[in-house]
Amino acid sequence: MGWTATQQKILSIIPHFTALLSLFGSSYIIVTTLRDRKRWGTPFYRLLCALCLVDLFNSIASGLSTWPIPVGTPGVYAPLGTVGTCEAQGFFVQAGIASPIYNFMLSVQFLLRTKYGWNERRIGRRVEPIMHAITIGFALGTSFLFLSLDLYNESSLWCWVNASPSGCNKNCGNASKVTTCERGASAEIYRWTFYYGPLWLCVVGCMVMMVMIFLDIRAQENKMKKYEFSILACHGENRTSAIERKKAEDEKRRHAQSRAVAYQALRFVGAFYLTW
């Protein structure tokens, strides 16, 4: 990396403190959700609670920083671990891919509620179990796969998917196909295929969901304006029938609910982009 000893020291110490902030935040959301039956009864808060649980373990793993890296690893500040501790840290760091996937699933949940009018019970029964299965299955599946392939090695500031020893001749981009790596010669391929690739798909997917929600809210507003205008044009303001007034009120209520969900989705996805 070309970092100086001072830079390595600072970069290895910072995660100890930032991880604590993440731990407190995730723990607070989990506790408040579990204590509130009304919140726990909604798919949004159950998905959010699962996301925070993933962040909890990921924060612990990343917060250990360089400590789990095997003792004596050159160019690393304060390595205190073994190959086993390094693999354990790398396992939970990789399992953290569940976090952006859960963010994507939450965006899907917002879209179902706003654009397609699904209620929380329908989402909870038909879609939510599939969301958990896909997210947890992918995260744990790739984590165990990488563990079996000896891909968890020292990666400068923590242990993750990397070749070992550092600077060895990897398989990726190696024309001669001759590697000098003792572990993880194909780490770069797996890292991009099973982490960075899905991460960027989730980022782009969340953006697409937000655009779809925005367009739907805009279409609802235009539809409501046209409906109100047609009623006034046909009957006048004072002669509007009770049934038509009720229809207009129901449309306004549905639009208000969709708009509230859309704003919630925007704030949530905005936080996702800021943290990732």
Side-chain angles (χ1 to χ4, degrees):
M1 282 293 193
W3 292 327
T4 65
T6 302
Q7 289 174 329
Q8 289 177 352
K9 183 176 181 179
I10 294 173
L11 291 173
S12 65
I13 292 175
I14 288 176
H16 299 321
F17 298 98
T18 55
L20 287 176
L21 297 176
S22 180
L23 280 171
F24 286 134
S26 297
S27 299
Y28 175 78
I29 294 174
I30 292 172
V31 172
T32 54
T33 300
L34 293 177
R35 285 182 175 179
D36 192 329
R37 288 188 177 182
K38 186 177 180 181
R39 285 188 174 185
W40 183 250
T42 62
F44 168 75
Y45 279 103
R46 289 195 294 268
L47 289 169
L48 180 61
C49 195
L51 187 155
C52 290
L53 188 62
V54 171
D55 283 341
L56 199 67
F57 286 105
N58 187 257
S59 296
I60 294 173
S62 59
L64 294 174
S65 189
T66 58
W67 292 345
I69 296 175
V71 175
T73 302
V76 177
Y77 175 77
L80 305 175
T82 63
V83 172
T85 59
C86 187
E87 289 182 330
Q89 183 187 39
F91 180 93
F92 285 105
V93 171
Q94 172 60 28
I97 188 62
S99 180
I101 298 177
Y102 265 125
N103 276 278
F104 175 75
M105 296 302 179
L106 281 163
S107 297
V108 173
Q109 182 261 164
F110 287 130
L111 183 68
L112 291 174
R113 290 189 61 189
T114 55
K115 183 175 177 62
Y116 298 103
W118 285 37
N119 57 36
E120 292 178 337
R121 184 178 180 183
R122 187 180 182 187
I123 294 174
R125 294 181 63 181
R126 295 191 179 184
V127 181
E128 185 187 353
I130 299 174
M131 291 177 170
H132 288 298
I134 291 174
T135 305
I136 297 174
F138 183 84
L140 292 182
T142 56
S143 296
F144 279 111
L145 173 65
F146 293 174
L147 182 63
S148 67
L149 296 175
D150 294 333
L151 296 180
Y152 298 131
N153 301 294
E154 176 264 319
S155 299
S156 297
L157 298 177
W158 50 73
C159 290
W160 187 41
V161 181
N162 198 21
S164 179
S166 180
C168 65
N169 195 14
K170 308 172 187 177
N171 285 342
C172 183
N174 182 6
S176 65
K177 303 299 181 181
V178 176
T179 178
T180 59
C181 299
E182 298 175 4
R183 293 164 55 94
S186 302
E188 191 169 350
I189 297 173
Y190 286 98
R191 187 166 59 235
W192 277 98
T193 303
F194 295 106
Y195 193 92
Y196 289 127
L199 171 61
W200 279 107
L201 285 175
C202 290
V203 170
V204 174
C206 286
M207 185 180 299
V208 171
M209 298 291 174
M210 290 303 100
V211 171
M212 293 177 68
I213 291 173
F214 171 77
L215 293 177
D216 180 67
I217 296 297
R218 189 174 180 180
Q220 287 184 31
E221 290 179 344
N222 293 333
K223 180 181 178 181
M224 189 168 60
K225 289 177 181 178
K226 290 179 180 179
Y227 183 71
E228 291 176 346
F229 178 78
S230 64
I231 291 177
L232 292 174
C234 293
H235 303 284
E237 186 174 356
N238 297 323
R239 296 177 58 189
T240 305
S241 68
I243 295 177
E244 289 166 339
R245 284 199 301 270
K246 187 178 184 304
K247 286 182 178 179
E249 289 173 0
D250 290 342
E251 188 69 25
K252 285 183 178 180
R253 190 179 300 110
R254 180 180 178 277
H255 173 66
Q257 291 175 348
S258 297
R259 196 178 185 88
V261 173
Y263 283 141
Q264 185 184 39
L266 184 62
R267 292 193 298 269
F268 185 81
V269 173
F272 167 53
Y273 286 152
L274 286 175
T275 54
W276 280 90

